[in-house]
């Protein structure tokens, strides 16, 4: 028993990482299978109608403005600030994680949208104009990949739980905004979150094996 506890304690980070990896993999595979078979997901429409039933002009304005933080402009702006910080601190491995995690998620989203070719919901007039396909949500993927990277960057600091809370709120509100605005189904959001978490974990595993150090300058 003591040996088992010692082994568990030694490898608990690997176990947690495995759980965080495989749960979203299973979720995405389940959702993707239903979408490919053109099967309706029973929770999609009821959830959206329940949200829309509480729509007001104030919430309309709020979510139209807030959703942009999960779009291209918002993610690029936040990412640019983090990039400057990482360059100043010479944290180049973390910079690779940021670029690979968020940039790769954007590429994956474009490919998946073309693969699944799912039309956006049309339950009520959209409050924002969107022309791409629905599955998975690009805003959900962008915000989740950025949030996951930020959590990893600050995980070894004393601010970890503050960062986890802020990243979680940011991701959830961005996802909710897409439902409120009528441009995504809940399954689009869940799929986007799942793919992003899996992708960022894979990039983190790769960058953890990179040992980049800047070359010394000046005379030896």
């Amino acid at each position: 028993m003591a040996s088992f506890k010692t082994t568990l304690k030694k490898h608990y980070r690997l176990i947690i990482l495995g759980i965080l990896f495989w749960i979203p993999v299973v979720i995405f595979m389940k959702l993707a299978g239903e979408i490919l078979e053109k099967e309706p997901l029973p929770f999609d429409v009821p959830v959206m109608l329940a949200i829309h039933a509480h729509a007001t002009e104030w919430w309309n304005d709020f979510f139209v403005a807030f959703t942009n933080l999960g779009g291209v402009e918002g993610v690029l702006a936040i990412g640019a600030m983090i990039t400057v910080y990482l360059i100043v601190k010479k944290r180049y491995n973390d910079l690779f994680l940021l670029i690979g995690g968020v940039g790769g998620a954007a590429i994956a989203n474009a490919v998946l949208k073309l693969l699944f070719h799912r039309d956006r919901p049309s339950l009520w007039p959209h409050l924002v104009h969107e022309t791409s396909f629905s599955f998975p949500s690009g805003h959900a993927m962008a915000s989740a990949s950025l949030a996951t990277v930020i959590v990893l960057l600050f995980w070894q600091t004393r601010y970890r739980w503050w960062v986890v809370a802020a990243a979680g709120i940011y991701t959830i509100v961005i996802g909710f905004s897409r439902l409120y605005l009528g441009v995504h189904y809940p399954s689009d959001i869940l799929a986007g979150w799942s793919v992003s978490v899996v992708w960022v974990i894979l990039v983190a595993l790769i960058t953890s094996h990179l040992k980049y150090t800047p070359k010394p300058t000046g005379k030896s």
Side-chain angles (χ1 to χ4, degrees):
M1 182 62 69
S3 177
F4 173 76
K5 289 182 178 180
T6 301
T7 302
L8 184 63
K9 184 177 181 180
K10 182 179 179 180
H11 298 289
Y12 82 98
R13 290 183 180 178
L14 186 60
I15 295 171
I16 292 175
L17 190 63
I19 293 173
L20 292 176
F21 179 86
W22 285 109
I23 288 179
V25 167
V26 172
I27 291 174
F28 178 77
M29 290 179 64
K30 174 62 177 176
L31 294 173
E34 298 294 330
I35 300 302
L36 285 174
E37 294 176 2
K38 307 298 183 182
E39 293 293 335
L41 290 152
F43 58 86
D44 271 342
V45 172
V47 169
M48 291 189 67
L49 292 177
I51 292 172
H52 188 63
H54 297 86
T56 66
E57 288 297 325
W58 190 92
W59 285 118
N60 290 354
D61 295 338
F62 173 80
F63 284 118
V64 167
F66 193 90
T67 200
N68 292 326
L69 292 177
V72 174
E73 296 85 358
V75 170
L76 283 178
I78 298 172
M81 290 186 289
I82 300 173
T83 296
V84 172
Y85 170 78
L86 295 176
I87 291 175
V88 170
K89 295 295 184 179
K90 298 182 179 180
R91 294 172 56 177
Y92 299 111
N93 279 20
D94 290 338
L95 181 59
F96 296 151
L97 172 60
L98 174 64
I99 296 174
V102 179
I107 295 173
N109 179 256
V111 172
L112 290 170
K113 281 182 181 292
L114 292 176
L115 175 63
F116 288 96
H117 215 266
R118 188 188 199 186
D119 292 331
R120 291 182 182 269
S122 56
L123 300 176
W124 61 84
H126 297 166
L127 298 180
V128 291
H129 179 65
E130 298 289 354
T131 58
S132 62
F133 293 112
S134 188
F135 184 92
S137 165
H139 280 66
M141 284 189 66
S143 58
S145 61
L146 179 62
T148 305
V149 168
I150 293 174
V151 167
L152 292 176
L153 294 179
F154 285 89
W155 186 252
Q156 298 299 331
T157 73
R158 60 179 177 172
Y159 307 109
R160 71 169 69 175
W161 295 116
W162 290 103
V163 173
V164 168
I169 292 171
Y170 165 71
T171 304
I172 291 171
V173 177
I174 290 294
F176 186 86
S177 74
R178 307 308 287 170
L179 303 179
Y180 182 94
L181 298 172
V183 293
H184 277 297
Y185 295 106
S187 52
D188 300 333
I189 306 300
L190 292 174
W193 288 345
S194 299
V195 174
S196 288
V197 170
V198 170
W199 175 254
V200 172
I201 288 176
L202 289 174
V203 175
L205 290 173
I206 294 172
T207 56
S208 67
H209 290 85
L210 298 177
K211 299 298 180 183
Y212 175 83
T213 54
K215 295 181 179 179
T217 58
K219 296 180 179 181
S220 58

